[in-house]
Amino acid sequence: MTIEIRDLRIYSHHGCYEEERRVGTTFSIDADLTVDASRPSETDDVRDALNYVEACETIAEIMGREHHLLESLGTDIAKELRLRFADKGLKGGWLRIAKLNPPIGLQMASVAAKVNL
């Protein structure tokens, strides 16, 4: 089974340039979390499941830690998700972090990094 998180919006302060880290910007996070859902499917109990609220809170927590690169930010989030949710059936998936309206002097919607879990 896959738990899909789409367009989780978080304002944060990441980037190579001091201005990016000082001013901040909005990031959009997508994730596909592949889980073994056999236990929660039987019990119908959220305590047995990978709780998407807790997964989103974990992502937000790591987004609060300053990073210069999307690659290192994505890797840290992926590591933390694997650590916290292995016992809730997390088997893999991916995470995509997009910086909306990046300050590069060209018009674009976003730039993103995609990390496998």
Side-chain angles (χ1 to χ4, degrees):
M1 179 176 289
T2 301
I3 296 173
E4 297 181 3
I5 297 170
R6 294 291 178 264
D7 202 22
L8 173 62
R9 297 277 177 121
I10 298 174
Y11 190 87
S12 199
H13 301 266
H14 306 289
C16 294
Y17 304 107
E18 184 179 332
E19 181 78 4
E20 290 179 289
R21 293 187 306 277
R22 186 177 59 76
V23 174
T25 193
T26 301
F27 292 79
S28 173
I29 297 99
D30 294 331
D32 273 10
L33 306 176
T34 305
V35 299
D36 175 358
S38 54
R39 175 97 175 117
S41 295
E42 291 174 12
T43 65
D44 196 29
D45 189 334
V46 71
R47 293 174 295 189
D48 293 328
L50 191 158
N51 185 325
Y52 66 84
V53 174
E54 292 174 1
C56 290
E57 289 171 347
T58 298
I59 293 167
E61 177 187 327
I62 306 305
M63 288 293 294
R65 301 176 191 166
E66 184 178 295
H67 288 77
H68 288 205
L69 299 175
L70 290 175
E71 296 87 341
S72 65
L73 175 60
T75 298
D76 285 354
I77 293 171
K79 285 179 187 176
E80 195 65 27
L81 288 170
R82 285 191 306 265
L83 179 70
R84 291 189 188 183
F85 298 106
D87 66 335
K88 297 296 183 182
L90 181 62
K91 300 298 181 195
W94 56 264
L95 170 76
R96 182 180 182 275
I97 303 168
K99 180 185 284 190
L100 305 182
N101 302 310
I104 63 168
L106 298 169
Q107 188 163 354
M108 68 168 37
S110 66
V111 64
K114 189 173 181 179
V115 179
N116 292 321
L117 296 178

PDB file of all heavy atoms in Angstrom, residues 87-103:
ATOM      1  N   ASP A  87       8.953   0.613  12.358  1.00  0.00           N
ATOM      2  CA  ASP A  87       8.083  -0.295  13.128  1.00  0.00           C
ATOM      3  C   ASP A  87       6.610  -0.136  12.781  1.00  0.00           C
ATOM      4  O   ASP A  87       5.768  -0.881  13.280  1.00  0.00           O
ATOM      5  CB  ASP A  87       8.299  -0.092  14.629  1.00  0.00           C
ATOM      6  CG  ASP A  87       7.857   1.268  15.126  1.00  0.00           C
ATOM      7  OD1 ASP A  87       7.822   2.231  14.334  1.00  0.00           O
ATOM      8  OD2 ASP A  87       7.534   1.378  16.323  1.00  0.00           O
ATOM      9  N   LYS A  88       6.286   0.819  11.920  1.00  0.00           N
ATOM     10  CA  LYS A  88       4.902   1.005  11.456  1.00  0.00           C
ATOM     11  C   LYS A  88       4.731   0.534  10.021  1.00  0.00           C
ATOM     12  O   LYS A  88       3.768   0.882   9.343  1.00  0.00           O
ATOM     13  CB  LYS A  88       4.488   2.480  11.571  1.00  0.00           C
ATOM     14  CG  LYS A  88       4.472   2.997  12.988  1.00  0.00           C
ATOM     15  CD  LYS A  88       3.442   2.281  13.841  1.00  0.00           C
ATOM     16  CE  LYS A  88       3.390   2.857  15.239  1.00  0.00           C
ATOM     17  NZ  LYS A  88       2.449   2.144  16.082  1.00  0.00           N
ATOM     18  N   GLY A  89       5.696  -0.263   9.554  1.00  0.00           N
ATOM     19  CA  GLY A  89       5.562  -0.889   8.249  1.00  0.00           C
ATOM     20  C   GLY A  89       6.152  -0.135   7.077  1.00  0.00           C
ATOM     21  O   GLY A  89       5.946  -0.537   5.931  1.00  0.00           O
ATOM     22  N   LEU A  90       6.898   0.960   7.318  1.00  0.00           N
ATOM     23  CA  LEU A  90       7.487   1.703   6.200  1.00  0.00           C
ATOM     24  C   LEU A  90       8.522   0.831   5.499  1.00  0.00           C
ATOM     25  O   LEU A  90       9.470   0.350   6.122  1.00  0.00           O
ATOM     26  CB  LEU A  90       8.129   3.005   6.689  1.00  0.00           C
ATOM     27  CG  LEU A  90       8.760   3.882   5.602  1.00  0.00           C
ATOM     28  CD1 LEU A  90       7.716   4.346   4.596  1.00  0.00           C
ATOM     29  CD2 LEU A  90       9.465   5.084   6.234  1.00  0.00           C
ATOM     30  N   LYS A  91       8.332   0.627   4.211  1.00  0.00           N
ATOM     31  CA  LYS A  91       9.210  -0.232   3.417  1.00  0.00           C
ATOM     32  C   LYS A  91      10.027   0.539   2.392  1.00  0.00           C
ATOM     33  O   LYS A  91      11.023   0.039   1.879  1.00  0.00           O
ATOM     34  CB  LYS A  91       8.388  -1.302   2.685  1.00  0.00           C
ATOM     35  CG  LYS A  91       7.612  -2.212   3.617  1.00  0.00           C
ATOM     36  CD  LYS A  91       8.544  -2.979   4.519  1.00  0.00           C
ATOM     37  CE  LYS A  91       7.765  -3.915   5.431  1.00  0.00           C
ATOM     38  NZ  LYS A  91       8.588  -4.402   6.524  1.00  0.00           N
ATOM     39  N   GLY A  92       9.621   1.740   2.049  1.00  0.00           N
ATOM     40  CA  GLY A  92      10.320   2.517   1.029  1.00  0.00           C
ATOM     41  C   GLY A  92       9.438   3.627   0.513  1.00  0.00           C
ATOM     42  O   GLY A  92       8.474   4.032   1.161  1.00  0.00           O
ATOM     43  N   GLY A  93       9.778   4.085  -0.679  1.00  0.00           N
ATOM     44  CA  GLY A  93       9.030   5.164  -1.308  1.00  0.00           C
ATOM     45  C   GLY A  93       9.956   6.268  -1.761  1.00  0.00           C
ATOM     46  O   GLY A  93      11.142   6.043  -2.018  1.00  0.00           O
ATOM     47  N   TRP A  94       9.415   7.452  -1.830  1.00  0.00           N
ATOM     48  CA  TRP A  94      10.214   8.608  -2.236  1.00  0.00           C
ATOM     49  C   TRP A  94       9.651   9.883  -1.620  1.00  0.00           C
ATOM     50  O   TRP A  94       8.526   9.919  -1.135  1.00  0.00           O
ATOM     51  CB  TRP A  94      10.297   8.737  -3.758  1.00  0.00           C
ATOM     52  CG  TRP A  94       8.972   8.817  -4.467  1.00  0.00           C
ATOM     53  CD1 TRP A  94       8.302   7.779  -5.047  1.00  0.00           C
ATOM     54  CD2 TRP A  94       8.146   9.979  -4.671  1.00  0.00           C
ATOM     55  NE1 TRP A  94       7.116   8.224  -5.587  1.00  0.00           N
ATOM     56  CE2 TRP A  94       7.003   9.567  -5.381  1.00  0.00           C
ATOM     57  CE3 TRP A  94       8.269  11.319  -4.330  1.00  0.00           C
ATOM     58  CZ2 TRP A  94       5.994  10.457  -5.749  1.00  0.00           C
ATOM     59  CZ3 TRP A  94       7.257  12.208  -4.690  1.00  0.00           C
ATOM     60  CH2 TRP A  94       6.136  11.770  -5.403  1.00  0.00           C
ATOM     61  N   LEU A  95      10.487  10.916  -1.664  1.00  0.00           N
ATOM     62  CA  LEU A  95      10.167  12.233  -1.116  1.00  0.00           C
ATOM     63  C   LEU A  95      10.650  13.273  -2.126  1.00  0.00           C
ATOM     64  O   LEU A  95      11.761  13.163  -2.645  1.00  0.00           O
ATOM     65  CB  LEU A  95      10.907  12.389   0.213  1.00  0.00           C
ATOM     66  CG  LEU A  95      10.935  13.734   0.891  1.00  0.00           C
ATOM     67  CD1 LEU A  95       9.584  13.989   1.549  1.00  0.00           C
ATOM     68  CD2 LEU A  95      12.024  13.748   1.945  1.00  0.00           C
ATOM     69  N   ARG A  96       9.820  14.255  -2.430  1.00  0.00           N
ATOM     70  CA  ARG A  96      10.185  15.336  -3.357  1.00  0.00           C
ATOM     71  C   ARG A  96      10.005  16.664  -2.639  1.00  0.00           C
ATOM     72  O   ARG A  96       8.916  16.948  -2.129  1.00  0.00           O
ATOM     73  CB  ARG A  96       9.309  15.286  -4.600  1.00  0.00           C
ATOM     74  CG  ARG A  96       9.639  16.341  -5.628  1.00  0.00           C
ATOM     75  CD  ARG A  96       8.709  16.207  -6.850  1.00  0.00           C
ATOM     76  NE  ARG A  96       9.016  17.174  -7.867  1.00  0.00           N
ATOM     77  CZ  ARG A  96       8.549  18.431  -7.895  1.00  0.00           C
ATOM     78  NH1 ARG A  96       7.738  18.855  -6.952  1.00  0.00           N
ATOM     79  NH2 ARG A  96       8.887  19.247  -8.878  1.00  0.00           N
ATOM     80  N   ILE A  97      11.087  17.454  -2.604  1.00  0.00           N
ATOM     81  CA  ILE A  97      11.041  18.777  -1.968  1.00  0.00           C
ATOM     82  C   ILE A  97      11.240  19.822  -3.059  1.00  0.00           C
ATOM     83  O   ILE A  97      12.277  19.827  -3.726  1.00  0.00           O
ATOM     84  CB  ILE A  97      12.139  18.936  -0.912  1.00  0.00           C
ATOM     85  CG1 ILE A  97      12.028  17.842   0.134  1.00  0.00           C
ATOM     86  CG2 ILE A  97      12.070  20.316  -0.261  1.00  0.00           C
ATOM     87  CD1 ILE A  97      13.227  17.773   1.036  1.00  0.00           C
ATOM     88  N   ALA A  98      10.256  20.691  -3.224  1.00  0.00           N
ATOM     89  CA  ALA A  98      10.328  21.744  -4.235  1.00  0.00           C
ATOM     90  C   ALA A  98      10.417  23.111  -3.564  1.00  0.00           C
ATOM     91  O   ALA A  98       9.609  23.426  -2.690  1.00  0.00           O
ATOM     92  CB  ALA A  98       9.105  21.694  -5.142  1.00  0.00           C
ATOM     93  N   LYS A  99      11.402  23.878  -3.974  1.00  0.00           N
ATOM     94  CA  LYS A  99      11.506  25.282  -3.542  1.00  0.00           C
ATOM     95  C   LYS A  99      10.709  26.097  -4.547  1.00  0.00           C
ATOM     96  O   LYS A  99      11.027  26.124  -5.740  1.00  0.00           O
ATOM     97  CB  LYS A  99      12.964  25.734  -3.532  1.00  0.00           C
ATOM     98  CG  LYS A  99      13.141  27.179  -3.091  1.00  0.00           C
ATOM     99  CD  LYS A  99      14.584  27.628  -3.197  1.00  0.00           C
ATOM    100  CE  LYS A  99      15.377  27.052  -2.054  1.00  0.00           C
ATOM    101  NZ  LYS A  99      16.737  27.645  -1.978  1.00  0.00           N
ATOM    102  N   LEU A 100       9.637  26.728  -4.077  1.00  0.00           N
ATOM    103  CA  LEU A 100       8.773  27.504  -4.958  1.00  0.00           C
ATOM    104  C   LEU A 100       9.395  28.876  -5.229  1.00  0.00           C
ATOM    105  O   LEU A 100       9.962  29.496  -4.331  1.00  0.00           O
ATOM    106  CB  LEU A 100       7.387  27.649  -4.335  1.00  0.00           C
ATOM    107  CG  LEU A 100       6.697  26.326  -3.953  1.00  0.00           C
ATOM    108  CD1 LEU A 100       5.311  26.597  -3.388  1.00  0.00           C
ATOM    109  CD2 LEU A 100       6.626  25.371  -5.129  1.00  0.00           C
ATOM    110  N   ASN A 101       9.285  29.318  -6.463  1.00  0.00           N
ATOM    111  CA  ASN A 101       9.809  30.620  -6.879  1.00  0.00           C
ATOM    112  C   ASN A 101      11.256  30.830  -6.438  1.00  0.00           C
ATOM    113  O   ASN A 101      11.553  31.789  -5.720  1.00  0.00           O
ATOM    114  CB  ASN A 101       8.923  31.756  -6.353  1.00  0.00           C
ATOM    115  CG  ASN A 101       7.503  31.618  -6.814  1.00  0.00           C
ATOM    116  OD1 ASN A 101       7.245  31.439  -7.989  1.00  0.00           O
ATOM    117  ND2 ASN A 101       6.573  31.674  -5.871  1.00  0.00           N
ATOM    118  N   PRO A 102      12.178  29.991  -6.865  1.00  0.00           N
ATOM    119  CA  PRO A 102      13.565  30.148  -6.437  1.00  0.00           C
ATOM    120  C   PRO A 102      14.157  31.468  -6.945  1.00  0.00           C
ATOM    121  O   PRO A 102      13.856  31.895  -8.062  1.00  0.00           O
ATOM    122  CB  PRO A 102      14.273  28.944  -7.053  1.00  0.00           C
ATOM    123  CG  PRO A 102      13.409  28.529  -8.191  1.00  0.00           C
ATOM    124  CD  PRO A 102      12.011  28.885  -7.805  1.00  0.00           C
ATOM    125  N   PRO A 103      14.993  32.099  -6.143  1.00  0.00           N
ATOM    126  CA  PRO A 103      15.535  33.426  -6.488  1.00  0.00           C
ATOM    127  C   PRO A 103      16.751  33.324  -7.416  1.00  0.00           C
ATOM    128  O   PRO A 103      17.886  33.544  -6.995  1.00  0.00           O
ATOM    129  CB  PRO A 103      15.915  33.996  -5.126  1.00  0.00           C
ATOM    130  CG  PRO A 103      16.337  32.791  -4.341  1.00  0.00           C
ATOM    131  CD  PRO A 103      15.431  31.687  -4.804  1.00  0.00           C
TER     132      PRO A 103
END
